Amino acid sequence: MEDREYKNVDFSEEDFAIGTYENCSFINCNFANTHLTERQFVECRFESCDLSMAVLSETAFKDVQFEECKMIGLDFTLINPFL
């Protein structure tokens, strides 16, 4: 997925497809307790999102910005170090 904006989406209750998200914006989205396994975020922006307790196993982040996000209990040691 490229160049998309996700606003007010509750990904803890909706399907969040495995894949690469490039140049996407996530605004006021809920990722709490969501499995982000095997997703790649490239040049994405998270603004006012709740990522508390999200599972980051093999998740990749490259040039990602987090602004005013709730990020309690994240284990960044599990992310994919490749990116």
Side-chain angles (χ1 to χ4, degrees):
M1 287 43 77
E2 291 185 35
D3 304 314
R4 293 190 64 187
E5 182 177 279
Y6 300 88
K7 225 176 195 181
N8 301 315
V9 180
D10 188 349
F11 290 108
S12 68
E13 295 181 1
E14 291 191 27
D15 185 37
F16 189 51
I18 292 175
T20 300
Y21 294 83
E22 189 169 343
N23 199 36
C24 293
S25 295
F26 299 91
I27 302 167
N28 199 37
C29 293
N30 182 19
F31 294 93
N33 298 302
T34 302
H35 283 264
L36 299 179
T37 305
E38 297 181 16
R39 280 126 179 123
Q40 297 179 16
F41 298 96
V42 180
E43 298 179 1
C44 291
R45 183 172 62 96
F46 293 82
E47 182 180 330
S48 301
C49 294
D50 184 357
L51 291 109
S52 299
M53 302 300 292
V55 179
L56 302 179
S57 180
E58 295 300 314
T59 304
F61 295 105
K62 181 177 181 187
D63 296 326
V64 173
Q65 297 176 0
F66 297 97
E67 299 174 18
E68 299 182 18
C69 292
K70 185 175 180 181
M71 302 171 74
I72 297 171
L74 295 180
D75 188 354
F76 283 99
T77 65
L78 300 175
I79 65 171
N80 183 337
F82 179 69
L83 289 176

Coordinates of all heavy atoms in Angstrom, one line a residue:
M1 N 0.8 -1.2 0.0 CA 0.0 0.0 0.0 C 0.9 1.2 0.0 O 1.8 1.3 0.8 CB -0.9 0.0 1.2 CG -2.1 -1.0 1.3 SD -1.9 -2.7 0.8 CE -1.0 -3.4 2.1
E2 N 0.6 2.2 -0.8 CA 1.4 3.4 -1.0 C 0.5 4.6 -0.9 O -0.6 4.6 -1.4 CB 2.2 3.4 -2.3 CG 3.3 2.3 -2.4 CD 4.1 2.5 -3.6 OE1 4.3 3.6 -4.1 OE2 4.5 1.5 -4.2
D3 N 1.1 5.6 -0.3 CA 0.5 7.0 -0.3 C -1.0 7.0 0.1 O -1.8 7.6 -0.5 CB 0.6 7.6 -1.7 CG 2.0 7.7 -2.2 OD1 2.9 8.1 -1.4 OD2 2.3 7.3 -3.4
R4 N -1.3 6.3 1.2 CA -2.6 6.2 1.7 C -2.7 6.9 3.1 O -1.7 6.9 3.8 CB -3.1 4.8 1.8 CG -3.2 4.1 0.5 CD -3.9 2.8 0.5 NE -5.3 3.0 0.9 CZ -6.1 1.9 1.2 NH1 -5.6 0.7 1.1 NH2 -7.3 2.1 1.6
E5 N -3.8 7.4 3.4 CA -4.1 8.0 4.7 C -5.2 7.2 5.4 O -6.3 7.0 4.8 CB -4.5 9.5 4.6 CG -4.8 10.1 5.9 CD -5.1 11.6 5.8 OE1 -4.2 12.4 5.6 OE2 -6.3 11.9 5.9
Y6 N -4.9 6.8 6.6 CA -5.8 6.0 7.4 C -6.2 6.9 8.6 O -5.3 7.4 9.3 CB -5.2 4.7 7.9 CG -4.8 3.8 6.8 CD1 -3.5 3.9 6.3 CD2 -5.6 2.8 6.3 CE1 -3.1 3.0 5.3 CE2 -5.2 1.9 5.3 CZ -3.9 2.1 4.8 OH -3.5 1.2 3.8
K7 N -7.5 7.2 8.7 CA -7.9 8.1 9.8 C -9.0 7.5 10.6 O -10.0 6.9 10.1 CB -8.5 9.4 9.1 CG -8.0 10.7 9.7 CD -8.6 11.9 8.9 CE -7.8 13.1 9.4 NZ -8.3 14.3 8.7
N8 N -8.8 7.5 11.9 CA -9.8 7.0 12.9 C -10.2 5.5 12.7 O -11.3 5.2 12.8 CB -11.1 7.9 12.9 CG -10.8 9.3 13.2 OD1 -10.1 9.6 14.1 ND2 -11.3 10.2 12.4
V9 N -9.2 4.7 12.3 CA -9.4 3.3 12.0 C -9.0 2.5 13.3 O -7.9 2.8 13.9 CB -8.6 2.8 10.8 CG1 -8.9 1.3 10.6 CG2 -9.0 3.6 9.6
D10 N -9.9 1.6 13.7 CA -9.6 0.7 14.8 C -9.0 -0.6 14.3 O -9.8 -1.5 14.0 CB -10.8 0.5 15.7 CG -10.5 -0.2 17.0 OD1 -9.4 -0.7 17.1 OD2 -11.4 -0.2 17.9
F11 N -7.7 -0.7 14.2 CA -7.1 -1.9 13.6 C -7.1 -3.0 14.6 O -6.8 -4.2 14.2 CB -5.7 -1.6 13.2 CG -5.6 -0.7 11.9 CD1 -5.1 0.6 12.0 CD2 -5.9 -1.2 10.7 CE1 -5.1 1.4 10.9 CE2 -5.9 -0.4 9.6 CZ -5.4 0.9 9.7
S12 N -7.5 -2.8 15.8 CA -7.6 -3.9 16.8 C -8.9 -4.7 16.5 O -9.0 -5.8 17.0 CB -7.7 -3.4 18.2 OG -8.8 -2.6 18.5
E13 N -9.8 -4.1 15.7 CA -11.1 -4.8 15.4 C -11.2 -5.0 13.9 O -12.1 -5.8 13.5 CB -12.2 -4.0 15.9 CG -12.3 -3.9 17.4 CD -13.5 -3.0 17.9 OE1 -14.3 -2.6 17.0 OE2 -13.6 -2.9 19.1
E14 N -10.4 -4.4 13.1 CA -10.5 -4.6 11.6 C -9.3 -5.3 11.1 O -8.2 -5.3 11.7 CB -10.6 -3.2 10.9 CG -11.9 -2.5 11.2 CD -12.1 -1.3 10.3 OE1 -11.5 -1.3 9.2 OE2 -12.8 -0.4 10.7
D15 N -9.4 -5.9 9.9 CA -8.3 -6.6 9.3 C -7.2 -5.6 8.9 O -7.5 -4.5 8.3 CB -8.8 -7.4 8.1 CG -7.7 -8.2 7.4 OD1 -6.9 -8.8 8.2 OD2 -7.7 -8.3 6.2
F16 N -6.0 -5.9 9.2 CA -4.8 -5.1 8.8 C -3.9 -6.0 8.0 O -3.2 -6.8 8.6 CB -4.2 -4.5 10.1 CG -3.1 -3.5 9.8 CD1 -3.4 -2.4 9.0 CD2 -1.9 -3.6 10.4 CE1 -2.4 -1.4 8.8 CE2 -0.9 -2.7 10.1 CZ -1.2 -1.6 9.3
A17 N -3.9 -5.8 6.7 CA -3.2 -6.7 5.8 C -1.7 -6.7 6.0 O -1.1 -5.7 6.2 CB -3.6 -6.3 4.4
I18 N -1.2 -7.9 5.9 CA 0.3 -8.1 5.9 C 0.8 -7.5 4.6 O 0.2 -7.7 3.6 CB 0.7 -9.5 6.0 CG1 0.3 -10.1 7.4 CG2 2.2 -9.7 5.8 CD1 0.5 -11.6 7.6
G19 N 1.9 -6.8 4.7 CA 2.5 -6.2 3.5 C 3.4 -5.0 3.8 O 3.7 -4.7 5.0
T20 N 3.7 -4.2 2.8 CA 4.5 -3.0 2.9 C 3.6 -1.8 2.8 O 2.8 -1.7 1.9 CB 5.6 -3.0 1.9 OG1 6.4 -4.2 2.0 CG2 6.5 -1.8 2.0
Y21 N 3.8 -0.9 3.8 CA 3.1 0.4 3.8 C 4.1 1.5 3.6 O 5.0 1.6 4.4 CB 2.3 0.6 5.1 CG 1.2 -0.4 5.3 CD1 1.5 -1.7 5.8 CD2 -0.1 -0.1 4.9 CE1 0.5 -2.7 5.9 CE2 -1.1 -1.1 5.1 CZ -0.8 -2.3 5.6 OH -1.8 -3.3 5.7
E22 N 4.0 2.1 2.4 CA 5.0 3.1 2.1 C 4.4 4.5 1.9 O 3.4 4.7 1.2 CB 5.7 2.7 0.8 CG 6.9 3.6 0.4 CD 7.7 3.0 -0.7 OE1 7.6 1.8 -1.0 OE2 8.5 3.7 -1.3
N23 N 5.0 5.5 2.6 CA 4.5 6.8 2.6 C 3.1 7.0 3.0 O 2.3 7.7 2.3 CB 4.8 7.5 1.2 CG 4.7 9.0 1.2 OD1 5.2 9.6 2.2 ND2 4.2 9.6 0.2
C24 N 2.7 6.2 4.0 CA 1.3 6.3 4.5 C 1.2 7.1 5.8 O 2.2 7.2 6.5 CB 0.8 4.8 4.8 SG 0.6 3.8 3.3
S25 N 0.1 7.6 6.0 CA -0.2 8.3 7.3 C -1.3 7.6 8.1 O -2.3 7.2 7.5 CB -0.7 9.8 7.0 OG 0.3 10.5 6.4
F26 N -1.1 7.5 9.3 CA -2.0 6.9 10.3 C -2.4 7.9 11.3 O -1.5 8.3 12.1 CB -1.4 5.6 10.9 CG -1.0 4.5 9.9 CD1 0.2 4.5 9.4 CD2 -2.0 3.6 9.5 CE1 0.6 3.5 8.5 CE2 -1.6 2.6 8.6 CZ -0.3 2.6 8.1
I27 N -3.6 8.4 11.3 CA -4.0 9.5 12.2 C -5.1 9.1 13.1 O -6.2 8.6 12.6 CB -4.4 10.7 11.3 CG1 -3.3 11.2 10.4 CG2 -4.9 11.9 12.2 CD1 -3.7 12.1 9.3
N28 N -4.9 9.2 14.4 CA -5.8 8.8 15.4 C -6.3 7.4 15.2 O -7.5 7.1 15.3 CB -7.0 9.8 15.4 CG -7.8 9.7 16.7 OD1 -7.2 9.5 17.7 ND2 -9.1 9.9 16.6
C29 N -5.4 6.4 14.9 CA -5.8 5.0 14.7 C -5.4 4.2 16.0 O -4.5 4.6 16.7 CB -5.0 4.5 13.5 SG -5.5 5.2 11.9
N30 N -6.2 3.1 16.2 CA -5.9 2.3 17.3 C -5.3 1.0 16.8 O -5.9 0.2 16.1 CB -7.3 2.0 18.0 CG -7.1 1.1 19.2 OD1 -6.0 1.0 19.8 ND2 -8.2 0.5 19.7
F31 N -4.1 0.7 17.3 CA -3.3 -0.5 17.1 C -3.1 -1.3 18.4 O -2.3 -2.2 18.4 CB -1.9 -0.2 16.5 CG -2.0 0.5 15.1 CD1 -1.9 1.8 15.0 CD2 -2.0 -0.3 14.0 CE1 -1.9 2.4 13.7 CE2 -2.0 0.3 12.7 CZ -2.0 1.7 12.6
A32 N -3.8 -0.9 19.4 CA -3.6 -1.6 20.7 C -3.8 -3.1 20.6 O -4.8 -3.5 20.1 CB -4.5 -1.0 21.8
N33 N -2.8 -3.8 21.1 CA -2.8 -5.3 21.1 C -2.9 -5.9 19.7 O -3.3 -7.1 19.6 CB -4.0 -5.8 22.0 CG -3.8 -5.4 23.4 OD1 -2.8 -5.7 24.1 ND2 -4.8 -4.6 23.9
T34 N -2.6 -5.1 18.7 CA -2.7 -5.6 17.3 C -1.4 -6.3 16.9 O -0.3 -5.8 17.3 CB -2.9 -4.4 16.3 OG1 -4.2 -3.8 16.7 CG2 -3.1 -4.9 14.9
H35 N -1.4 -7.4 16.2 CA -0.2 -8.0 15.7 C 0.2 -7.3 14.4 O -0.5 -7.3 13.4 CB -0.5 -9.5 15.3 CG -0.6 -10.4 16.6 ND1 0.5 -11.1 17.0 CD2 -1.6 -10.6 17.4 CE1 0.2 -11.7 18.1 NE2 -1.1 -11.4 18.4
L36 N 1.4 -6.7 14.5 CA 1.9 -6.0 13.4 C 3.0 -6.8 12.7 O 3.8 -6.4 12.0 CB 2.5 -4.6 13.8 CG 1.5 -3.6 14.4 CD1 2.1 -2.3 14.8 CD2 0.4 -3.4 13.4
T37 N 3.0 -8.1 13.1 CA 4.0 -9.0 12.6 C 4.1 -9.1 11.1 O 3.0 -9.0 10.4 CB 3.7 -10.5 13.1 OG1 3.6 -10.4 14.5 CG2 4.7 -11.5 12.7
E38 N 5.3 -9.0 10.5 CA 5.5 -9.1 9.1 C 5.0 -8.0 8.3 O 4.8 -8.1 7.1 CB 5.0 -10.5 8.5 CG 5.7 -11.7 9.1 CD 5.2 -13.0 8.6 OE1 4.6 -13.0 7.5 OE2 5.5 -14.0 9.2
R39 N 4.8 -6.8 8.9 CA 4.4 -5.6 8.2 C 5.7 -4.7 8.1 O 6.5 -4.7 9.0 CB 3.3 -4.9 8.9 CG 1.9 -5.5 8.5 CD 1.2 -5.8 9.8 NE -0.1 -6.4 9.5 CZ -0.4 -7.6 10.0 NH1 0.5 -8.3 10.7 NH2 -1.6 -8.1 9.8
Q40 N 5.8 -4.0 7.0 CA 6.9 -3.1 6.8 C 6.3 -1.7 6.7 O 5.4 -1.5 5.8 CB 7.7 -3.4 5.6 CG 8.4 -4.8 5.7 CD 9.1 -5.1 4.4 OE1 9.4 -4.3 3.6 NE2 9.5 -6.4 4.3
F41 N 6.9 -0.7 7.4 CA 6.4 0.6 7.3 C 7.6 1.5 6.9 O 8.7 1.5 7.5 CB 6.0 1.1 8.7 CG 4.8 0.4 9.2 CD1 5.0 -0.7 10.1 CD2 3.5 0.7 8.8 CE1 3.9 -1.4 10.6 CE2 2.4 0.0 9.3 CZ 2.6 -1.1 10.2
V42 N 7.5 2.1 5.7 CA 8.6 2.8 5.1 C 8.1 4.3 4.9 O 7.1 4.5 4.2 CB 9.0 2.2 3.7 CG1 10.2 3.0 3.1 CG2 9.4 0.8 3.9
E43 N 8.8 5.2 5.5 CA 8.5 6.6 5.4 C 7.0 6.9 5.7 O 6.3 7.6 5.0 CB 8.8 7.2 4.0 CG 10.3 7.1 3.7 CD 10.7 7.6 2.3 OE1 9.8 8.0 1.5 OE2 11.9 7.5 2.0
C44 N 6.6 6.3 6.8 CA 5.2 6.5 7.3 C 5.2 7.4 8.5 O 6.2 7.6 9.1 CB 4.6 5.1 7.7 SG 4.3 4.0 6.3
R45 N 4.0 7.9 8.8 CA 3.8 8.8 9.9 C 2.6 8.3 10.7 O 1.5 8.1 10.2 CB 3.5 10.2 9.4 CG 3.4 11.3 10.5 CD 3.3 12.7 9.9 NE 2.2 12.9 9.1 CZ 1.0 13.4 9.5 NH1 0.9 13.8 10.7 NH2 0.0 13.5 8.6
F46 N 2.8 8.2 12.0 CA 1.8 7.8 13.0 C 1.5 9.1 13.8 O 2.5 9.6 14.5 CB 2.3 6.7 13.9 CG 2.4 5.4 13.1 CD1 3.6 5.1 12.4 CD2 1.4 4.4 13.1 CE1 3.8 3.9 11.7 CE2 1.6 3.2 12.4 CZ 2.8 3.0 11.8
E47 N 0.3 9.6 13.8 CA 0.0 10.8 14.6 C -1.2 10.5 15.5 O -2.3 10.0 15.0 CB -0.4 11.9 13.7 CG -0.7 13.2 14.3 CD -1.0 14.3 13.4 OE1 -0.5 14.3 12.2 OE2 -1.8 15.2 13.7
S48 N -1.0 10.7 16.8 CA -2.1 10.5 17.8 C -2.7 9.1 17.8 O -3.9 8.9 17.9 CB -3.2 11.5 17.6 OG -2.7 12.8 17.8
C49 N -1.8 8.1 17.6 CA -2.2 6.7 17.5 C -2.0 6.0 18.8 O -1.1 6.4 19.6 CB -1.5 6.0 16.4 SG -1.9 6.5 14.7
D50 N -2.7 4.9 19.1 CA -2.5 4.1 20.3 C -1.9 2.8 19.8 O -2.5 2.0 19.1 CB -3.8 3.8 21.0 CG -3.6 3.0 22.3 OD1 -2.4 2.6 22.6 OD2 -4.6 2.8 23.0
L51 N -0.6 2.6 20.1 CA 0.1 1.4 19.7 C 0.4 0.5 20.9 O 1.3 -0.4 20.9 CB 1.4 1.7 19.0 CG 1.2 2.3 17.6 CD1 1.6 3.8 17.6 CD2 2.1 1.6 16.6
S52 N -0.2 0.8 22.0 CA 0.1 0.1 23.3 C -0.1 -1.4 23.1 O -1.1 -1.9 22.6 CB -0.9 0.5 24.4 OG -0.7 1.9 24.6
M53 N 1.0 -2.1 23.6 CA 1.0 -3.6 23.6 C 0.9 -4.2 22.2 O 0.6 -5.4 22.1 CB -0.1 -4.2 24.5 CG 0.1 -3.7 26.0 SD 1.6 -4.1 26.8 CE 1.5 -5.9 26.9
A54 N 1.2 -3.5 21.2 CA 1.2 -4.1 19.8 C 2.3 -5.1 19.7 O 3.4 -4.9 20.3 CB 1.3 -3.0 18.8
V55 N 2.1 -6.1 19.0 CA 3.1 -7.1 18.8 C 4.0 -6.7 17.6 O 3.5 -6.6 16.5 CB 2.5 -8.5 18.5 CG1 3.6 -9.6 18.3 CG2 1.6 -8.9 19.7
L56 N 5.3 -6.6 17.8 CA 6.2 -6.0 16.8 C 7.2 -7.1 16.2 O 8.2 -6.8 15.6 CB 7.0 -4.9 17.3 CG 6.3 -3.7 17.9 CD1 7.2 -2.6 18.4 CD2 5.4 -3.1 16.8
S57 N 6.9 -8.4 16.4 CA 7.7 -9.4 15.9 C 7.9 -9.4 14.4 O 7.0 -9.5 13.7 CB 7.1 -10.8 16.3 OG 7.9 -11.8 15.9
E58 N 9.2 -9.2 14.0 CA 9.5 -9.1 12.6 C 8.9 -7.9 11.9 O 8.7 -7.9 10.7 CB 9.2 -10.4 11.9 CG 10.1 -11.6 12.3 CD 11.6 -11.3 12.2 OE1 12.0 -10.9 11.1 OE2 12.3 -11.6 13.1
T59 N 8.5 -6.9 12.6 CA 8.0 -5.7 12.0 C 9.1 -4.8 11.6 O 10.1 -4.8 12.3 CB 7.1 -4.9 13.0 OG1 6.1 -5.8 13.5 CG2 6.4 -3.7 12.4
A60 N 9.0 -4.1 10.5 CA 10.1 -3.3 10.0 C 9.7 -1.9 9.9 O 8.6 -1.5 9.5 CB 10.6 -3.8 8.6
F61 N 10.6 -1.0 10.5 CA 10.3 0.5 10.4 C 11.5 1.1 9.7 O 12.7 0.9 10.1 CB 10.2 1.0 11.8 CG 9.0 0.5 12.6 CD1 9.1 -0.4 13.6 CD2 7.7 1.0 12.3 CE1 8.1 -0.8 14.4 CE2 6.6 0.6 13.0 CZ 6.8 -0.3 14.1
K62 N 11.3 2.0 8.7 CA 12.3 2.7 8.1 C 11.8 4.1 7.9 O 10.8 4.3 7.2 CB 12.8 2.1 6.8 CG 13.9 2.9 6.2 CD 14.4 2.3 4.9 CE 15.5 3.2 4.4 NZ 16.0 2.8 3.1
D63 N 12.5 5.1 8.5 CA 12.2 6.5 8.4 C 10.7 6.8 8.8 O 9.9 7.4 8.0 CB 12.4 7.0 7.0 CG 13.9 7.0 6.6 OD1 14.7 7.2 7.5 OD2 14.2 6.8 5.4
V64 N 10.3 6.3 9.9 CA 9.0 6.4 10.4 C 8.9 7.4 11.6 O 9.9 7.5 12.4 CB 8.5 5.0 11.0 CG1 7.1 5.1 11.7 CG2 8.4 4.0 9.8
Q65 N 7.9 8.2 11.6 CA 7.7 9.3 12.6 C 6.5 8.9 13.5 O 5.5 8.5 13.0 CB 7.4 10.6 11.9 CG 8.5 11.1 11.1 CD 8.1 12.4 10.4 OE1 7.0 12.9 10.6 NE2 9.0 13.0 9.7
F66 N 6.7 9.0 14.8 CA 5.6 8.9 15.7 C 5.4 10.2 16.4 O 6.4 10.7 17.1 CB 6.0 7.8 16.8 CG 6.2 6.4 16.2 CD1 7.5 6.0 15.9 CD2 5.2 5.6 16.0 CE1 7.7 4.7 15.4 CE2 5.3 4.3 15.4 CZ 6.6 3.9 15.2
E67 N 4.2 10.8 16.3 CA 3.9 12.1 16.9 C 2.7 11.9 17.8 O 1.6 11.5 17.4 CB 3.6 13.1 15.8 CG 4.7 13.3 14.9 CD 4.4 14.3 13.7 OE1 3.3 15.0 13.8 OE2 5.1 14.3 12.7
E68 N 2.9 12.2 19.1 CA 1.9 12.2 20.1 C 1.2 10.8 20.2 O -0.1 10.8 20.3 CB 0.9 13.3 19.9 CG 1.6 14.7 20.0 CD 0.6 15.8 19.9 OE1 -0.7 15.6 20.0 OE2 1.0 17.0 19.6
C69 N 1.9 9.7 20.1 CA 1.4 8.4 20.1 C 1.5 7.8 21.5 O 2.5 8.0 22.2 CB 2.1 7.5 19.1 SG 1.7 8.0 17.4
K70 N 0.6 6.9 21.8 CA 0.7 6.1 23.1 C 1.4 4.8 22.7 O 0.9 4.1 21.8 CB -0.7 5.9 23.6 CG -0.8 5.2 24.9 CD -2.2 5.1 25.4 CE -2.3 4.4 26.8 NZ -3.7 4.3 27.2
M71 N 2.5 4.6 23.4 CA 3.3 3.4 23.0 C 3.8 2.6 24.2 O 5.0 2.3 24.4 CB 4.6 3.9 22.2 CG 4.2 4.7 20.9 SD 5.5 5.5 20.1 CE 6.4 4.2 19.4
I72 N 2.9 2.3 25.0 CA 3.1 1.5 26.3 C 3.3 0.0 26.0 O 2.5 -0.6 25.3 CB 2.0 1.7 27.3 CG1 1.9 3.2 27.6 CG2 2.2 0.9 28.5 CD1 0.7 3.6 28.5
G73 N 4.4 -0.5 26.5 CA 4.6 -2.0 26.5 C 5.1 -2.5 25.1 O 5.0 -3.7 24.9
L74 N 5.7 -1.7 24.3 CA 6.2 -2.1 23.0 C 7.6 -2.7 23.2 O 8.4 -2.2 23.9 CB 6.3 -1.0 22.0 CG 5.0 -0.4 21.6 CD1 5.2 0.8 20.6 CD2 4.1 -1.4 21.0
D75 N 7.8 -3.9 22.6 CA 9.1 -4.5 22.7 C 9.9 -4.4 21.3 O 9.7 -5.2 20.4 CB 9.0 -6.0 23.0 CG 10.3 -6.7 23.3 OD1 11.4 -6.0 23.1 OD2 10.3 -7.9 23.7
F76 N 10.6 -3.3 21.2 CA 11.3 -3.0 20.0 C 12.5 -3.9 19.7 O 13.1 -3.9 18.6 CB 11.8 -1.5 20.0 CG 10.7 -0.5 19.7 CD1 10.1 0.2 20.8 CD2 10.3 -0.3 18.4 CE1 9.1 1.1 20.5 CE2 9.3 0.6 18.2 CZ 8.7 1.3 19.2
T77 N 12.8 -4.8 20.7 CA 13.9 -5.8 20.4 C 13.5 -6.8 19.4 O 14.3 -7.6 18.9 CB 14.4 -6.4 21.7 OG1 13.3 -7.2 22.3 CG2 14.9 -5.4 22.7
L78 N 12.2 -6.9 19.2 CA 11.6 -8.0 18.3 C 11.5 -7.5 16.8 O 11.2 -8.3 16.0 CB 10.2 -8.4 18.8 CG 10.2 -9.0 20.2 CD1 8.7 -9.3 20.6 CD2 11.0 -10.3 20.3
I79 N 11.8 -6.2 16.6 CA 11.6 -5.7 15.2 C 12.6 -6.3 14.3 O 13.7 -6.8 14.7 CB 11.6 -4.2 15.1 CG1 12.9 -3.6 15.5 CG2 10.5 -3.6 16.0 CD1 13.0 -2.1 15.2
N80 N 12.3 -6.3 13.0 CA 13.2 -6.7 12.0 C 14.4 -5.7 11.8 O 14.1 -4.6 11.4 CB 12.5 -6.9 10.6 CG 13.3 -7.4 9.5 OD1 14.6 -7.3 9.6 ND2 12.7 -8.0 8.5
P81 N 15.6 -6.1 12.2 CA 16.7 -5.1 12.1 C 17.2 -4.8 10.7 O 18.0 -3.9 10.5 CB 17.8 -5.8 12.9 CG 17.5 -7.3 12.7 CD 16.0 -7.4 12.6
F82 N 16.7 -5.5 9.7 CA 17.1 -5.3 8.3 C 16.9 -3.8 7.9 O 17.7 -3.2 7.2 CB 16.5 -6.3 7.4 CG 16.9 -6.1 6.0 CD1 18.2 -6.3 5.5 CD2 16.0 -5.6 5.0 CE1 18.6 -6.2 4.2 CE2 16.4 -5.4 3.7 CZ 17.7 -5.7 3.3
L83 N 15.7 -3.3 8.2 CA 15.3 -1.9 7.8 C 15.7 -1.0 8.9 O 15.6 0.2 8.8 CB 13.9 -1.8 7.4 CG 13.5 -2.5 6.1 CD1 12.0 -2.4 5.9 CD2 14.2 -1.9 4.9

